[in-house]
Amino acid sequence: MSLSTRAPAETAAVDTPAITLRGLRKTFGDVVAVDAVDLDIADGEFFSMLGPSGSGKTTVLRLIAGFEQATAGTVRLGGTDVTRSAPFERDVHTVFQDYALFPHMSVLDNVAYGLRVRGLKKAERRDRAQQALETVRLGHLGARRPAQLSGGQRQRVALARAIVLQPRVLLLDEPLGALDLKLREQMQVELKQLQRELGITFVFVTHDQEEALTLSDRIAVFDAGRIQQLGTPREIYENPASAYVAGFVGTTNLFDAATSQRILGVAGEHAVRPERLRLSPGSDTETPRADEVRLDAVVVETIYLGTGNRVHLRTSEGVDLVALEQSTGSLDTREHRGDDVTVRFARADVVPLASGS
């Protein structure tokens, strides 16, 4: 069978999620690692679980894989309850950060190993392994050993070893974490393309918010064992549900309730992204428009980022802000430490946050 897409006979009914979690809970002694998680992941979706270390995201992945047993709740794959099933009884495969390749085997034999365990004949498993290597653009390296490959190539071998088994769900546990920045960015593009070609459900665990925004159809942001927000990358970034999400996913300017009342004239907590702030030199004495907020500030520091400048500011009210300016191509950094500036942003760009966040 071709590895390019899943055949219609292998896919569940359109309305049946690839993964369904209900009331999922996992404790380790007195520690609650996962706390009442409800989640549906659609068939063919690239889904990311994002959060810091200890937030519960990796434990949820291990519960889906069967490497951990749930304290309470259920795990369903394609509508089938697999909560108490062994890992080998689940139609999933996991790719880890360390790749776990056999050093004494060739690349082709590494990829074919799972098919060997399943009892396929040698000719068939080698054909399918070669096809999987072609899918990840490593068909010419099948005779090499893992030690003869770069980090990115070993990552692709690990992916080929997973997709050759044609699982319904592919679980990826921070698989790009060991790669350098340039290679990680390249692999992000390749992963997204691969997932679209195969049509397999990808569940991707990461602590890197840029990685999650780049790759995902949807993201679940985790903290303290719970999902704090679930949505598309645009929804998560543009409309964070809480101060935690706003602060964790990208850089943002947070206004607590007192500051919101003083600066914005509205009750509750709010946030505005740095790229929404506009700066102009000096103080502006004109009356601000009704649809904008205007503040006097001084430049604390300007950091050159290549694509632009990140400008740290302190307003006359003592509020610290960050603005992001796109590069104009000029050698001048535009704002310098100690400069007086006027800060403007549209009231429409101010996002209200959930109370108590």
Side-chain angles (χ1 to χ4, degrees):
M1 175 187 150
S2 171
L3 291 173
S4 59
T5 56
R6 290 181 64 86
E10 292 182 312
T11 57
V14 173
D15 294 334
T16 303
I19 300 171
T20 302
L21 310 179
R22 289 292 180 269
L24 196 63
R25 180 179 174 86
K26 179 63 179 179
T27 60
F28 297 95
D30 295 333
V31 177
V32 180
V34 177
D35 190 7
V37 168
D38 292 328
L39 179 64
D40 289 331
I41 300 175
D43 201 39
E45 185 174 24
F46 198 125
F47 188 90
S48 288
M49 295 191 288
L50 172 67
S53 178
S55 61
K57 62 188 187 301
T58 298
T59 303
V60 170
L61 184 113
R62 292 178 63 83
L63 289 165
I64 295 170
F67 300 140
E68 301 285 354
Q69 288 294 305
T71 305
T74 58
V75 178
R76 291 181 176 273
L77 297 177
T80 301
D81 190 337
V82 297
T83 311
R84 301 302 168 195
S85 300
F88 63 85
E89 296 174 315
R90 306 183 186 206
D91 192 9
V92 303
H93 196 92
T94 307
V95 177
F96 299 100
Q97 183 175 333
D98 62 3
Y99 315 145
L101 302 177
F102 297 115
H104 63 287
M105 290 184 180
S106 70
V107 165
L108 186 66
D109 287 340
N110 263 280
V111 175
Y113 182 77
L115 300 175
R116 178 182 170 186
V117 171
R118 291 188 176 182
L120 271 70
K121 293 181 178 180
K122 184 176 181 179
E124 182 179 356
R125 66 178 185 251
R126 290 182 71 85
D127 285 346
R128 286 179 55 173
Q130 182 63 37
Q131 189 177 3
L133 284 173
E134 296 289 349
T135 300
V136 299
R137 290 171 281 282
L138 289 179
H140 60 298
L141 299 180
R144 292 192 184 182
R145 298 290 176 89
Q148 297 174 299
L149 305 180
S150 68
Q153 289 170 335
R154 288 196 295 272
Q155 173 61 269
R156 279 185 264 178
V157 173
L159 286 168
R161 188 176 58 182
I163 65 176
V164 77
L165 298 173
Q166 300 168 354
R168 180 180 181 84
V169 175
L170 188 60
L171 308 174
L172 302 108
D173 188 8
E174 306 211 36
L176 309 183
L179 305 180
D180 61 53
L181 177 61
K182 197 72 176 177
L183 187 53
R184 192 160 69 244
E185 291 175 344
Q186 177 186 335
M187 283 301 303
Q188 288 171 7
V189 174
E190 293 190 8
L191 261 183
K192 196 171 184 74
Q193 290 175 337
L194 181 65
Q195 192 269 339
R196 285 176 174 170
E197 290 171 8
L198 297 173
I200 296 173
T201 303
F202 276 31
V203 180
F204 189 89
V205 165
T206 182
H207 64 273
D208 186 322
Q209 51 90 17
E210 184 175 339
E211 199 166 76
L213 292 172
T214 299
L215 291 169
S216 313
D217 296 319
R218 286 191 305 152
I219 300 169
V221 183
F222 277 78
D223 185 47
R226 289 178 173 267
I227 296 175
Q228 302 299 315
Q229 187 171 356
L230 176 66
T232 67
R234 183 177 294 276
E235 289 167 347
I236 296 289
Y237 186 83
E238 299 286 353
N239 294 291
S242 66
Y244 170 78
V245 174
F248 187 76
V249 182
T251 305
T252 197
N253 295 292
L254 294 172
F255 302 128
D256 60 23
T259 304
S260 291
Q261 189 66 60
R262 187 169 76 253
I263 300 294
L264 307 176
V266 292
E269 296 180 317
H270 294 78
V272 61
R273 294 293 185 184
E275 62 270 21
R276 304 298 188 184
L277 273 57
R278 306 184 306 280
L279 307 181
S280 57
S283 297
D284 194 331
T285 58
E286 293 184 8
T287 303
R289 301 195 326 241
D291 62 350
E292 74 172 8
V293 177
R294 195 166 70 200
L295 304 168
D296 292 328
V298 64
V299 176
V300 176
E301 191 63 79
T302 298
I303 299 172
Y304 178 65
L305 303 174
T307 56
N309 299 315
R310 186 168 64 236
V311 186
H312 293 260
L313 308 153
R314 181 161 296 142
T315 71
S316 56
E317 293 87 357
V319 178
D320 291 330
L321 299 175
V322 178
L324 185 62
E325 295 185 306
Q326 294 299 310
S327 176
T328 61
S330 170
L331 293 176
D332 185 6
T333 57
R334 299 175 65 179
E335 283 81 30
H336 300 83
R337 189 184 308 162
D339 284 355
D340 291 323
V341 295
T342 299
V343 182
R344 293 180 176 83
F345 53 91
R347 289 189 178 276
D349 291 331
V350 178
V351 179
L353 303 174
S355 60
S357 57

